[in-house]
Amino acid sequence: LNRILFLRKVPVFADINPADLPLVANLLSEQRFEAGQTIIREGDAGDILYIVADGAVRVFHQASPETTLSILETGECFGELALLDDEPRSATVETTKHSTCLLLRKSDFEQLLHARPGMAMAIIRTLSRRFRDLLGKVEERQQHRT
């Protein structure tokens, strides 16, 4: 996997200067997961952003009834709020098949904030856009229920 070429296609990094992609690529670690494996659990502490490099994951709330929020595939990320706050995980994520993820730790992200403020702002804008999109989906679901 050429991480630099891969990162160019990852939406969360879409707005950063391509010359900065090697900095991000060097900070990423890789982890493999078996099918059906829980990666993060709702309520747990978190300090890692995950990018699906290969495979797929299901994001869901464990409340009764269990609610699937999304299925994420190659190039999509989850756990991004952990880079921005110290709150517990807001959902559970498990693999739907054998998957490989790239991991960006909060401490490394914070180093990027200091070294390249422009890059950090581009990432924060993208995360903010994703959050607004999610809120729109939640509102849409609530309207369909009534």
Side-chain angles (χ1 to χ4, degrees):
L1 175 68
N2 182 320
R3 290 184 182 176
I4 296 169
L5 291 176
F6 178 75
L7 288 175
R8 286 183 182 170
K9 299 174 186 172
V10 175
V12 75
F13 300 112
D15 293 338
I16 72 170
N17 183 333
D20 288 332
L21 288 176
L23 290 172
V24 177
N26 288 333
L27 296 174
L28 299 173
S29 59
E30 187 174 298
Q31 190 169 353
R32 299 182 197 297
F33 300 94
E34 298 298 320
Q37 186 174 348
T38 299
I39 299 175
I40 61 175
R41 193 172 304 283
E42 187 174 346
D44 286 353
D47 67 346
I48 299 173
L49 161 77
Y50 295 83
I51 305 163
V52 181
D54 184 49
V57 300
R58 178 174 75 105
V59 181
F60 63 98
H61 281 294
Q62 292 181 299
S64 182
E66 191 174 275
T67 305
T68 297
L69 302 172
S70 61
I71 302 293
L72 304 176
E73 297 180 328
T74 301
E76 297 183 284
C77 65
F78 59 94
E80 60 272 18
L81 293 178
L83 298 181
L84 304 174
D85 65 26
D86 295 321
E87 297 298 313
R89 296 289 191 183
S90 59
T92 297
V93 179
E94 70 179 14
T95 57
T96 58
K97 57 185 174 182
H98 178 82
S99 300
T100 302
C101 292
L102 299 175
L103 287 59
L104 176 61
R105 299 189 180 286
K106 183 176 184 172
S107 58
D108 292 331
F109 178 71
E110 289 173 347
Q111 285 180 4
L112 285 175
L113 284 174
H114 296 293
R116 294 277 206 274
M119 177 175 46
M121 288 307 300
I123 293 171
I124 289 169
R125 275 193 300 276
T126 303
L127 293 176
S128 175
R129 200 166 39 245
R130 284 175 48 101
F131 183 69
R132 289 181 188 280
D133 289 346
L134 178 61
L135 286 177
K137 289 177 185 176
V138 169
E139 289 175 6
E140 189 176 297
R141 282 186 183 172
Q142 287 177 341
Q143 289 173 357
H144 287 302
R145 288 184 182 163
T146 57

